[in-house]
Amino acid sequence: MADTISFARGAPSADIVDIDGLKQAAVDAFETDPAGISGYGTAIGYVPLRRWIAEKHGVPEDHVLVTNGSMQADAFLFDETVAAGDAVVVERPTYDRTLLGLKERGADVHMIGLQADGIDVDELRTALQGGLRPKLAHVIPNFQNPGGSTLSLEKRKALLALADEYDFLIFEDDPYVDVRFTGEPLPRMLELQGDANRVVYASSFSKTVCPGVRVGYLIGPPELIARIVRRATNTYIAPSQVAQAIVHRFVTGDRFPAALQKVKTALEERATTLGAALREHLPEATFVQPEGGYFLWVELPAGEGHDCARIAAEAATRGVQIVKGTDFLLEGGENAFRLAYSAVKAEQVEEGVRRLAEAVAAAKG
Amino acid sequence: MADTISFARGAPSADIVDIDGLKQAAVDAFETDPAGISGYGTAIGYVPLRRWIAEKHGVPEDHVLVTNGSMQADAFLFDETVAAGDAVVVERPTYDRTLLGLKERGADVHMIGLQADGIDVDELRTALQGGLRPKLAHVIPNFQNPGGSTLSLEKRKALLALADEYDFLIFEDDPYVDVRFTGEPLPRMLELQGDANRVVYASSFSKTVCPGVRVGYLIGPPELIARIVRRATNTYIAPSQVAQAIVHRFVTGDRFPAALQKVKTALEERATTLGAALREHLPEATFVQPEGGYFLWVELPAGEGHDCARIAAEAATRGVQIVKGTDFLLEGGENAFRLAYSAVKAEQVEEGVRRLAEAVAAAKG
């Protein structure tokens, strides 16, 4: 079989990580703060990194908690705010691990449709008017996983108004925001809310530094953050000070702007190549061309017997890995799949799509 | 006030951590395995480190899970094995965070007395004969926290026999084993059990490398480890690959034996000095002189109105921090406190104890 081409995993390829920069950041960290880096630290996170995050987002430090990756932040937040039976809103489709985390906690998950400009606020409003009372609405505003779409400014404001009116928390899950490669950045709901305390915001250094550091963070109302700090203390005392200190030296170092630009340039090339290849080899597919991030969500015409499980199996026999659309939904998605272009070099993208088109044809036959 | 002397925190002072060795280990890690260190990895842990741990303990790799510190390992194990109402045996006194973790999960905690040679196996047997049916017995076999005592070989075997007879799991929580500075090492219950699958073993690199890496691990029956791997995946994907790779390079490097010896030499000097100072300045105190680890548990004569809360407060006004005995117990402990000597340089120990003796006297008055 030809080389495997994986569109499955939302992770960067090693060639776009600035390993030399990270190595230098590690040396700097051990040299400049030996006591801080080697000690336990506390659950709030490595203090200089927490301060850097607070300054980046213009919030007081006690609004910030640094965690062992942002999925750990999600888990702490769900443990603290979601009880069995609680209604929670998510996008349709949404990140499979979020869906799993909510289902495991017994949440009553309500999926609200995702459009090219983000979650369908009208559908959400109708559901709220119909009596839905969510504790939390989970939204991935930028380059959504798996949808690839970005929430418009108008909808960000509309969501905040709904959160105020119906008294729920918006969980703004935003790991991809800093890998925007085209278009204009939009203000975060965290900023747009003013003093409303309606938003809990999560992000990560996995996409801007590398996943292997496992450093993410949560920003929210200080009372909630304090409760989660207690939970984190009782779970693991603290996230890795060594990893956090390396991240801190890296993102405050001279090389970071160029390193981040390299990531964005590579992602843009991969995304552009993927869109073009899909239009050429799989013209019946529809998708949102993302402005950043890792993912592209492909829908095939409904009612034509497409079955993503069969397509994934046929693709696998051709050395191409994809994730079935059904993984991101409670029901439906058979005519869809997710392509992660983050780890597929541009020169492999077209070959991958060519084989994928064969797989789609074979799965129909 | 004079310089603060803290006997409170179980952590090493920075002067006994081999910062240069860690820095070199970080450089080596980034140079030798850039893809492994920068990628997500999986919840089982950084593969070369997991293999090293498996070899150290003579178990297959699928018995091992590397975690974000060993307290995270405890939390995963408790989440997986302890439901509300389940009986769990712990030592009396025991590590305060273990007690808290069990109470938070609604466990029915049974404390069994700790003697100079470890948990009182006769008291445990009597409780079992009386109908106690624990899911788990948590034991810190070496240089117990807070008691300082070490479980004898005879009792290790007796505990295993009881676990077989009454069908419970032994949680052998062993973070201090490799910082033994005197006496002969004893075999782990993990080894003594043969093929019995009665023991889940936890340890850590916090005491041999440094706490700031946050790298611990769990060893257990592969079916249980597989369930915990799923839980870990859904919680944080993976612990920090960067931190784990640095630990791996450090413990397999040339400098490690000398670095560990430096830690042990410093701990021995601190423990010896502390014991001598207590005998001199606080002759009414009783304690087990530990053969390793970080802690010494001081008991004052019962029935003489000692109150550890008042002693701790009086000590604090004299710039000395200790932890009250009551923190490590469900009831009692007013006449006791824990002294951690891990971070107090030998030249400060005597001054600390001198002030502490004043505090004990003042608290009685």
Side-chain angles (χ1 to χ4, degrees):
Chain A
M1 189 167 64
D3 286 353
T4 294
I5 298 173
S6 176
F7 292 112
R9 191 89 197 266
S13 50
D15 63 298
I16 59 175
V17 174
D18 180 10
I19 295 290
D20 284 340
L22 283 167
K23 186 173 72 178
Q24 188 55 50
V27 169
D28 291 349
F30 280 109
E31 287 180 352
T32 56
D33 188 17
I37 196 170
S38 65
Y40 274 100
T42 71
I44 61 173
Y46 181 63
V47 170
L49 181 62
R50 187 195 199 206
R51 184 172 305 136
W52 185 87
I53 293 165
E55 284 170 5
K56 171 183 165 85
H57 290 283
V59 297
E61 284 178 50
D62 65 353
H63 291 230
V64 180
L65 170 76
V66 194
T67 55
N68 184 48
S70 78
M71 210 174 100
Q72 175 74 71
D74 302 1
F76 283 144
L77 178 66
F78 292 159
D79 283 339
E80 199 61 44
T81 58
V82 179
D86 282 348
V88 175
V89 164
V90 302
E91 294 158 307
R92 184 179 71 238
T94 195
Y95 181 38
D96 49 347
R97 291 192 193 278
T98 300
L99 211 48
L100 184 65
L102 289 169
K103 285 194 287 189
E104 279 181 344
R105 287 168 180 81
D108 177 24
V109 177
H110 291 260
M111 301 195 92
I112 300 291
L114 184 72
Q115 301 170 308
D117 61 350
I119 192 169
D120 186 340
V121 172
D122 291 332
E123 183 183 335
L124 175 58
R125 185 180 295 107
T126 302
L128 293 166
Q129 288 168 345
L132 177 65
R133 290 295 174 269
K135 288 281 283 284
L136 206 69
H138 174 264
V139 172
I140 304 171
N142 290 299
F143 334 125
Q144 203 252 12
N145 177 8
S149 61
T150 293
L151 188 63
S152 68
L153 177 59
E154 189 180 39
K155 283 188 170 179
R156 291 174 193 230
K157 291 177 179 170
L159 260 182
L160 282 166
L162 288 176
D164 259 343
E165 185 175 352
Y166 291 96
D167 190 23
F168 60 85
L169 213 54
I170 296 172
F171 179 18
E172 184 171 19
D173 189 4
D174 203 17
Y176 309 105
V177 57
D178 288 328
V179 288
R180 174 184 279 279
F181 42 69
T182 187
E184 286 304 309
L186 294 170
R188 294 166 173 85
M189 289 180 280
L190 178 70
E191 302 153 20
L192 291 170
Q193 71 172 341
D195 298 324
N197 271 350
R198 282 286 166 211
V199 177
V200 178
Y201 181 89
S203 193
S204 167
F205 294 97
S206 291
K207 283 74 190 176
T208 52
V209 179
C210 72
V213 292
R214 309 304 306 120
V215 182
Y217 60 90
L218 205 60
I219 300 176
E223 312 76 40
L224 176 62
I225 294 297
R227 295 209 312 272
I228 296 178
V229 167
R230 281 193 291 277
R231 184 177 289 275
T233 302
N234 296 339
T235 303
Y236 59 33
I237 304 177
S240 173
Q241 303 299 303
V242 168
Q244 291 177 89
I246 293 172
V247 167
H248 178 249
R249 298 301 300 189
F250 188 74
V251 297
T252 58
D254 292 344
R255 299 172 62 118
F256 182 56
L260 183 56
Q261 189 53 54
K262 182 178 180 182
V263 171
K264 292 197 274 191
T265 301
L267 289 176
E268 177 166 28
E269 187 186 13
R270 292 167 192 190
T272 306
T273 311
L274 179 57
L278 285 168
R279 282 186 291 274
E280 180 179 347
H281 297 291
L282 207 59
E284 68 274 33
T286 54
F287 55 89
V288 172
Q289 183 69 38
E291 298 187 330
Y294 284 8
F295 304 110
L296 197 148
W297 175 254
V298 176
E299 291 194 352
L300 298 170
E304 296 190 14
H306 290 295
D307 175 352
C308 60
R310 288 182 60 189
I311 294 169
E314 289 287 349
T317 67
R318 290 166 178 80
V320 172
Q321 292 168 342
I322 62 173
V323 182
K324 309 187 301 288
T326 47
D327 284 7
F328 304 93
L329 291 155
L330 295 175
E331 53 182 355
E334 287 79 6
N335 64 322
F337 49 83
R338 188 190 77 174
L339 300 181
Y341 49 81
S342 49
V344 187
K345 295 179 191 177
E347 58 269 28
Q348 290 185 296
V349 165
E350 179 155 2
E351 171 62 13
V353 173
R354 208 188 48 70
R355 294 189 215 163
L356 183 57
E358 286 179 12
V360 169
K364 273 181 98 167
Chain B
M1 189 168 63
D3 286 355
T4 292
I5 298 174
S6 176
F7 292 112
R9 191 87 196 267
S13 51
D15 62 299
I16 59 175
V17 173
D18 180 10
I19 295 289
D20 283 340
L22 283 167
K23 185 173 74 177
Q24 188 56 49
V27 169
D28 290 350
F30 279 110
E31 286 179 352
T32 55
D33 189 17
I37 196 171
S38 65
Y40 273 101
T42 71
I44 60 173
Y46 181 62
V47 171
L49 181 62
R50 187 195 199 210
R51 183 171 306 137
W52 184 87
I53 294 165
E55 284 170 6
K56 171 182 166 84
H57 290 283
V59 298
E61 285 178 49
D62 65 352
H63 290 229
V64 181
L65 170 76
V66 194
T67 54
N68 183 49
S70 77
M71 209 174 102
Q72 175 75 71
D74 302 2
F76 284 144
L77 178 67
F78 292 159
D79 283 339
E80 199 62 43
T81 58
V82 179
D86 282 349
V88 175
V89 164
V90 301
E91 294 158 307
R92 184 179 71 238
T94 195
Y95 181 38
D96 49 347
R97 292 192 192 278
T98 300
L99 211 48
L100 183 66
L102 289 169
K103 286 194 288 186
E104 279 181 345
R105 288 167 180 83
D108 176 23
V109 177
H110 292 258
M111 301 194 93
I112 300 291
L114 184 73
Q115 301 169 308
D117 61 350
I119 190 168
D120 185 340
V121 171
D122 291 333
E123 182 184 335
L124 175 59
R125 184 181 296 107
T126 301
L128 293 166
Q129 288 168 345
L132 177 64
R133 290 295 174 268
K135 288 281 284 283
L136 206 69
H138 174 265
V139 173
I140 305 171
N142 290 299
F143 334 123
Q144 202 250 14
N145 177 6
S149 61
T150 292
L151 189 63
S152 68
L153 178 59
E154 188 179 38
K155 283 188 170 179
R156 290 173 194 231
K157 292 176 178 169
L159 259 182
L160 282 166
L162 288 176
D164 259 345
E165 186 174 352
Y166 292 96
D167 190 24
F168 60 86
L169 213 54
I170 296 172
F171 179 18
E172 184 172 18
D173 189 5
D174 204 17
Y176 309 104
V177 59
D178 289 327
V179 289
R180 174 183 280 278
F181 42 70
T182 187
E184 286 304 309
L186 294 170
R188 296 169 173 84
M189 289 180 279
L190 178 70
E191 302 152 21
L192 291 170
Q193 71 171 340
D195 298 325
N197 270 351
R198 281 285 165 210
V199 177
V200 178
Y201 180 89
S203 194
S204 167
F205 295 96
S206 291
K207 282 75 189 175
T208 53
V209 179
C210 72
V213 292
R214 309 307 304 118
V215 181
Y217 59 91
L218 206 60
I219 300 177
E223 313 74 41
L224 175 62
I225 294 296
R227 296 209 309 273
I228 296 178
V229 167
R230 282 193 290 277
R231 185 178 288 276
T233 303
N234 296 339
T235 303
Y236 58 34
I237 303 176
S240 173
Q241 303 300 303
V242 168
Q244 290 177 89
I246 293 172
V247 166
H248 179 250
R249 298 302 300 188
F250 187 74
V251 297
T252 58
D254 292 343
R255 298 172 62 116
F256 182 56
L260 183 56
Q261 190 52 55
K262 182 178 180 182
V263 170
K264 293 197 274 192
T265 302
L267 289 175
E268 177 166 27
E269 187 186 12
R270 292 168 190 188
T272 305
T273 311
L274 179 58
L278 284 168
R279 281 187 290 274
E280 180 179 346
H281 297 291
L282 208 59
E284 69 272 34
T286 54
F287 55 89
V288 172
Q289 183 68 40
E291 298 188 330
Y294 284 7
F295 304 111
L296 197 148
W297 175 253
V298 176
E299 290 195 351
L300 297 171
E304 296 191 11
H306 291 296
D307 175 350
C308 60
R310 287 182 60 191
I311 295 170
E314 289 288 349
T317 67
R318 290 165 177 81
V320 172
Q321 292 170 344
I322 62 173
V323 183
K324 309 187 301 288
T326 47
D327 284 8
F328 304 94
L329 291 154
L330 294 176
E331 52 182 355
E334 287 79 4
N335 63 323
F337 48 84
R338 187 190 76 175
L339 300 180
Y341 49 81
S342 49
V344 186
K345 296 180 191 176
E347 58 268 30
Q348 290 186 297
V349 164
E350 178 155 1
E351 169 64 14
V353 173
R354 207 188 49 70
R355 293 190 215 162
L356 184 56
E358 285 179 14
V360 169
K364 274 181 99 169

